[in-house]
mmCIF file of all heavy atoms in Angstrom:
data_model
loop_
_atom_site.group_PDB
_atom_site.id
_atom_site.type_symbol
_atom_site.label_atom_id
_atom_site.label_comp_id
_atom_site.label_asym_id
_atom_site.label_seq_id
_atom_site.Cartn_x
_atom_site.Cartn_y
_atom_site.Cartn_z
ATOM 1 N N ALA A 1 0.379 0.408 -12.682
ATOM 2 C CA ALA A 1 -0.165 1.303 -11.649
ATOM 3 C C ALA A 1 -1.481 0.763 -11.104
ATOM 4 O O ALA A 1 -1.727 0.800 -9.889
ATOM 5 C CB ALA A 1 -0.333 2.709 -12.200
ATOM 6 N N LEU A 2 -2.335 0.262 -11.976
ATOM 7 C CA LEU A 2 -3.606 -0.310 -11.522
ATOM 8 C C LEU A 2 -3.373 -1.527 -10.639
ATOM 9 O O LEU A 2 -4.051 -1.696 -9.613
ATOM 10 C CB LEU A 2 -4.484 -0.671 -12.720
ATOM 11 C CG LEU A 2 -4.975 0.503 -13.562
ATOM 12 C CD1 LEU A 2 -5.699 -0.004 -14.805
ATOM 13 C CD2 LEU A 2 -5.865 1.414 -12.739
ATOM 14 N N TRP A 3 -2.423 -2.361 -11.029
ATOM 15 C CA TRP A 3 -2.078 -3.545 -10.245
ATOM 16 C C TRP A 3 -1.557 -3.152 -8.861
ATOM 17 O O TRP A 3 -1.978 -3.703 -7.846
ATOM 18 C CB TRP A 3 -1.037 -4.365 -11.001
ATOM 19 C CG TRP A 3 -0.400 -5.445 -10.194
ATOM 20 C CD1 TRP A 3 -0.913 -6.674 -9.921
ATOM 21 C CD2 TRP A 3 0.863 -5.385 -9.541
ATOM 22 N NE1 TRP A 3 -0.035 -7.394 -9.143
ATOM 23 C CE2 TRP A 3 1.070 -6.615 -8.893
ATOM 24 C CE3 TRP A 3 1.850 -4.404 -9.434
ATOM 25 C CZ2 TRP A 3 2.208 -6.882 -8.138
ATOM 26 C CZ3 TRP A 3 2.985 -4.674 -8.690
ATOM 27 C CH2 TRP A 3 3.155 -5.907 -8.065
ATOM 28 N N LEU A 4 -0.661 -2.175 -8.824
ATOM 29 C CA LEU A 4 -0.095 -1.730 -7.551
ATOM 30 C C LEU A 4 -1.150 -1.057 -6.684
ATOM 31 O O LEU A 4 -1.207 -1.292 -5.472
ATOM 32 C CB LEU A 4 1.086 -0.790 -7.794
ATOM 33 C CG LEU A 4 1.779 -0.240 -6.550
ATOM 34 C CD1 LEU A 4 2.229 -1.363 -5.609
ATOM 35 C CD2 LEU A 4 2.952 0.633 -6.948
ATOM 36 N N ALA A 5 -2.017 -0.269 -7.280
ATOM 37 C CA ALA A 5 -3.092 0.379 -6.525
ATOM 38 C C ALA A 5 -3.983 -0.673 -5.870
ATOM 39 O O ALA A 5 -4.360 -0.541 -4.699
ATOM 40 C CB ALA A 5 -3.911 1.285 -7.436
ATOM 41 N N GLU A 6 -4.298 -1.730 -6.604
ATOM 42 C CA GLU A 6 -5.122 -2.801 -6.045
ATOM 43 C C GLU A 6 -4.404 -3.491 -4.883
ATOM 44 O O GLU A 6 -5.013 -3.811 -3.861
ATOM 45 C CB GLU A 6 -5.490 -3.810 -7.138
ATOM 46 C CG GLU A 6 -6.451 -4.877 -6.677
ATOM 47 C CD GLU A 6 -7.778 -4.316 -6.175
ATOM 48 O OE1 GLU A 6 -8.253 -3.294 -6.689
ATOM 49 O OE2 GLU A 6 -8.334 -4.920 -5.229
ATOM 50 N N ASN A 7 -3.105 -3.712 -5.022
ATOM 51 C CA ASN A 7 -2.328 -4.324 -3.939
ATOM 52 C C ASN A 7 -2.311 -3.443 -2.687
ATOM 53 O O ASN A 7 -2.462 -3.947 -1.566
ATOM 54 C CB ASN A 7 -0.896 -4.602 -4.400
ATOM 55 C CG ASN A 7 -0.776 -5.915 -5.116
ATOM 56 O OD1 ASN A 7 -0.650 -6.956 -4.507
ATOM 57 N ND2 ASN A 7 -0.857 -5.868 -6.431
ATOM 58 N N LEU A 8 -2.130 -2.149 -2.868
ATOM 59 C CA LEU A 8 -2.111 -1.249 -1.708
ATOM 60 C C LEU A 8 -3.496 -1.118 -1.080
ATOM 61 O O LEU A 8 -3.621 -1.080 0.147
ATOM 62 C CB LEU A 8 -1.550 0.112 -2.104
ATOM 63 C CG LEU A 8 -0.064 0.116 -2.480
ATOM 64 C CD1 LEU A 8 0.392 1.514 -2.878
ATOM 65 C CD2 LEU A 8 0.800 -0.426 -1.355
ATOM 66 N N ARG A 9 -4.551 -1.081 -1.896
ATOM 67 C CA ARG A 9 -5.923 -1.076 -1.352
ATOM 68 C C ARG A 9 -6.159 -2.324 -0.500
ATOM 69 O O ARG A 9 -6.715 -2.245 0.597
ATOM 70 C CB ARG A 9 -6.956 -1.047 -2.482
ATOM 71 C CG ARG A 9 -7.290 0.300 -2.978
ATOM 72 C CD ARG A 9 -8.504 0.235 -3.933
ATOM 73 N NE ARG A 9 -8.317 1.230 -4.950
ATOM 74 C CZ ARG A 9 -7.860 1.003 -6.172
ATOM 75 N NH1 ARG A 9 -7.584 -0.215 -6.580
ATOM 76 N NH2 ARG A 9 -7.704 1.990 -7.021
ATOM 77 N N HIS A 10 -5.728 -3.465 -1.001
ATOM 78 C CA HIS A 10 -5.881 -4.718 -0.261
ATOM 79 C C HIS A 10 -5.121 -4.648 1.068
ATOM 80 O O HIS A 10 -5.639 -5.081 2.106
ATOM 81 C CB HIS A 10 -5.388 -5.884 -1.113
ATOM 82 C CG HIS A 10 -5.539 -7.214 -0.464
ATOM 83 N ND1 HIS A 10 -6.767 -7.794 -0.225
ATOM 84 C CD2 HIS A 10 -4.614 -8.077 0.029
ATOM 85 C CE1 HIS A 10 -6.592 -8.949 0.384
ATOM 86 N NE2 HIS A 10 -5.297 -9.155 0.545
ATOM 87 N N ALA A 11 -3.922 -4.104 1.045
ATOM 88 C CA ALA A 11 -3.127 -3.974 2.280
ATOM 89 C C ALA A 11 -3.820 -3.049 3.283
ATOM 90 O O ALA A 11 -3.788 -3.292 4.491
ATOM 91 C CB ALA A 11 -1.725 -3.453 1.952
ATOM 92 N N ILE A 12 -4.477 -2.007 2.784
ATOM 93 C CA ILE A 12 -5.213 -1.096 3.672
ATOM 94 C C ILE A 12 -6.426 -1.815 4.260
ATOM 95 O O ILE A 12 -6.668 -1.762 5.473
ATOM 96 C CB ILE A 12 -5.624 0.185 2.919
ATOM 97 C CG1 ILE A 12 -4.376 1.012 2.568
ATOM 98 C CG2 ILE A 12 -6.606 1.014 3.745
ATOM 99 C CD1 ILE A 12 -4.628 2.141 1.580
ATOM 100 N N ILE A 13 -7.180 -2.510 3.436
ATOM 101 C CA ILE A 13 -8.367 -3.238 3.893
ATOM 102 C C ILE A 13 -7.993 -4.305 4.914
ATOM 103 O O ILE A 13 -8.667 -4.474 5.930
ATOM 104 C CB ILE A 13 -9.111 -3.877 2.696
ATOM 105 C CG1 ILE A 13 -9.746 -2.787 1.843
ATOM 106 C CG2 ILE A 13 -10.151 -4.892 3.161
ATOM 107 C CD1 ILE A 13 -10.239 -3.270 0.484
ATOM 108 N N MET A 14 -6.901 -5.025 4.670
ATOM 109 C CA MET A 14 -6.478 -6.111 5.561
ATOM 110 C C MET A 14 -5.782 -5.602 6.822
ATOM 111 O O MET A 14 -5.528 -6.375 7.740
ATOM 112 C CB MET A 14 -5.558 -7.076 4.807
ATOM 113 C CG MET A 14 -6.217 -7.758 3.619
ATOM 114 S SD MET A 14 -7.775 -8.594 4.027
ATOM 115 C CE MET A 14 -7.198 -9.879 5.104
ATOM 116 N N GLY A 15 -5.467 -4.313 6.870
ATOM 117 C CA GLY A 15 -4.825 -3.753 8.058
ATOM 118 C C GLY A 15 -3.314 -3.824 8.031
ATOM 119 O O GLY A 15 -2.650 -3.421 8.987
ATOM 120 N N THR A 16 -2.752 -4.345 6.964
ATOM 121 C CA THR A 16 -1.299 -4.365 6.821
ATOM 122 C C THR A 16 -0.767 -2.939 6.768
ATOM 123 O O THR A 16 0.317 -2.653 7.266
ATOM 124 C CB THR A 16 -0.892 -5.127 5.539
ATOM 125 O OG1 THR A 16 -1.522 -6.399 5.558
ATOM 126 C CG2 THR A 16 0.605 -5.311 5.450
ATOM 127 N N LEU A 17 -1.533 -2.058 6.141
ATOM 128 C CA LEU A 17 -1.261 -0.619 6.154
ATOM 129 C C LEU A 17 -2.393 0.027 6.958
ATOM 130 O O LEU A 17 -3.455 0.334 6.417
ATOM 131 C CB LEU A 17 -1.224 -0.053 4.734
ATOM 132 C CG LEU A 17 -0.054 -0.473 3.862
ATOM 133 C CD1 LEU A 17 -0.248 0.028 2.426
ATOM 134 C CD2 LEU A 17 1.256 0.051 4.430
ATOM 135 N N PRO A 18 -2.201 0.197 8.270
ATOM 136 C CA PRO A 18 -3.267 0.718 9.124
ATOM 137 C C PRO A 18 -3.477 2.227 8.944
ATOM 138 O O PRO A 18 -2.615 2.904 8.374
ATOM 139 C CB PRO A 18 -2.764 0.398 10.528
ATOM 140 C CG PRO A 18 -1.285 0.358 10.402
ATOM 141 C CD PRO A 18 -1.006 -0.143 9.018
ATOM 142 N N PRO A 19 -4.598 2.749 9.439
ATOM 143 C CA PRO A 19 -4.848 4.192 9.370
ATOM 144 C C PRO A 19 -3.683 4.985 9.975
ATOM 145 O O PRO A 19 -3.075 4.559 10.962
ATOM 146 C CB PRO A 19 -6.117 4.373 10.201
ATOM 147 C CG PRO A 19 -6.799 3.047 10.104
ATOM 148 C CD PRO A 19 -5.697 2.034 10.064
ATOM 149 N N ASP A 20 -3.399 6.108 9.355
ATOM 150 C CA ASP A 20 -2.337 7.032 9.769
ATOM 151 C C ASP A 20 -0.929 6.504 9.528
ATOM 152 O O ASP A 20 0.043 7.148 9.920
ATOM 153 C CB ASP A 20 -2.501 7.472 11.231
ATOM 154 C CG ASP A 20 -3.822 8.192 11.456
ATOM 155 O OD1 ASP A 20 -4.177 9.031 10.603
ATOM 156 O OD2 ASP A 20 -4.498 7.917 12.460
ATOM 157 N N GLU A 21 -0.798 5.356 8.886
ATOM 158 C CA GLU A 21 0.513 4.819 8.530
ATOM 159 C C GLU A 21 1.117 5.675 7.419
ATOM 160 O O GLU A 21 0.452 6.004 6.444
ATOM 161 C CB GLU A 21 0.367 3.381 8.052
ATOM 162 C CG GLU A 21 1.645 2.733 7.590
ATOM 163 C CD GLU A 21 2.429 2.133 8.746
ATOM 164 O OE1 GLU A 21 1.883 2.043 9.858
ATOM 165 O OE2 GLU A 21 3.568 1.739 8.506
ATOM 166 N N VAL A 22 2.382 6.021 7.556
ATOM 167 C CA VAL A 22 3.086 6.753 6.510
ATOM 168 C C VAL A 22 3.627 5.739 5.506
ATOM 169 O O VAL A 22 4.265 4.758 5.881
ATOM 170 C CB VAL A 22 4.243 7.596 7.103
ATOM 171 C CG1 VAL A 22 5.044 8.255 5.996
ATOM 172 C CG2 VAL A 22 3.695 8.636 8.075
ATOM 173 N N ILE A 23 3.348 5.980 4.231
ATOM 174 C CA ILE A 23 3.822 5.119 3.157
ATOM 175 C C ILE A 23 4.868 5.911 2.376
ATOM 176 O O ILE A 23 4.568 6.982 1.857
ATOM 177 C CB ILE A 23 2.680 4.725 2.201
ATOM 178 C CG1 ILE A 23 1.462 4.216 2.952
ATOM 179 C CG2 ILE A 23 3.150 3.697 1.195
ATOM 180 C CD1 ILE A 23 0.233 4.067 2.074
ATOM 181 N N LEU A 24 6.070 5.389 2.289
ATOM 182 C CA LEU A 24 7.154 6.081 1.601
ATOM 183 C C LEU A 24 7.255 5.623 0.145
ATOM 184 O O LEU A 24 7.212 4.420 -0.132
ATOM 185 C CB LEU A 24 8.482 5.842 2.309
ATOM 186 C CG LEU A 24 8.550 6.318 3.757
ATOM 187 C CD1 LEU A 24 9.881 5.916 4.376
ATOM 188 C CD2 LEU A 24 8.359 7.826 3.835
ATOM 189 N N VAL A 25 7.398 6.576 -0.751
ATOM 190 C CA VAL A 25 7.500 6.287 -2.175
ATOM 191 C C VAL A 25 8.633 5.300 -2.447
ATOM 192 O O VAL A 25 8.448 4.301 -3.139
ATOM 193 C CB VAL A 25 7.704 7.586 -2.989
ATOM 194 C CG1 VAL A 25 8.056 7.273 -4.438
ATOM 195 C CG2 VAL A 25 6.467 8.460 -2.912
ATOM 196 N N ASP A 26 9.805 5.585 -1.898
ATOM 197 C CA ASP A 26 10.970 4.731 -2.160
ATOM 198 C C ASP A 26 10.777 3.303 -1.661
ATOM 199 O O ASP A 26 11.189 2.351 -2.325
ATOM 200 C CB ASP A 26 12.235 5.324 -1.542
ATOM 201 C CG ASP A 26 12.683 6.596 -2.250
ATOM 202 O OD1 ASP A 26 12.277 6.814 -3.411
ATOM 203 O OD2 ASP A 26 13.447 7.360 -1.639
ATOM 204 N N GLU A 27 10.142 3.143 -0.512
ATOM 205 C CA GLU A 27 9.917 1.803 0.030
ATOM 206 C C GLU A 27 8.938 1.008 -0.833
ATOM 207 O O GLU A 27 9.154 -0.180 -1.082
ATOM 208 C CB GLU A 27 9.410 1.878 1.471
ATOM 209 C CG GLU A 27 10.487 2.281 2.455
ATOM 210 C CD GLU A 27 9.989 2.296 3.894
ATOM 211 O OE1 GLU A 27 8.831 1.877 4.157
ATOM 212 O OE2 GLU A 27 10.768 2.739 4.755
ATOM 213 N N VAL A 28 7.882 1.662 -1.280
ATOM 214 C CA VAL A 28 6.908 0.988 -2.145
ATOM 215 C C VAL A 28 7.570 0.617 -3.472
ATOM 216 O O VAL A 28 7.438 -0.508 -3.955
ATOM 217 C CB VAL A 28 5.654 1.861 -2.373
ATOM 218 C CG1 VAL A 28 4.724 1.227 -3.405
ATOM 219 C CG2 VAL A 28 4.920 2.093 -1.062
ATOM 220 N N ALA A 29 8.309 1.560 -4.034
ATOM 221 C CA ALA A 29 8.993 1.306 -5.311
ATOM 222 C C ALA A 29 9.956 0.129 -5.185
ATOM 223 O O ALA A 29 9.991 -0.748 -6.054
ATOM 224 C CB ALA A 29 9.732 2.563 -5.773
ATOM 225 N N ASP A 30 10.720 0.084 -4.109
ATOM 226 C CA ASP A 30 11.662 -1.015 -3.896
ATOM 227 C C ASP A 30 10.937 -2.342 -3.655
ATOM 228 O O ASP A 30 11.300 -3.366 -4.223
ATOM 229 C CB ASP A 30 12.594 -0.716 -2.721
ATOM 230 C CG ASP A 30 13.595 0.388 -3.017
ATOM 231 O OD1 ASP A 30 13.794 0.733 -4.206
ATOM 232 O OD2 ASP A 30 14.180 0.918 -2.049
#
């Protein structure tokens, strides 16, 4: 969980996951 949280934080900082982007549980899990 810590590893994945760091990866998602990095994606948010880099703009890969921009503001207001919907993140789906199933897509992240897959």
Side-chain angles (χ1 to χ4, degrees):
L2 294 173
W3 168 81
L4 180 54
E6 186 60 34
N7 275 277
L8 293 179
R9 274 190 214 100
H10 182 68
I12 292 168
I13 291 167
M14 298 307 294
T16 307
L17 291 173
D20 300 317
E21 177 85 11
V22 175
I23 311 169
L24 300 175
V25 170
D26 291 340
E27 287 182 6
V28 173
D30 290 344

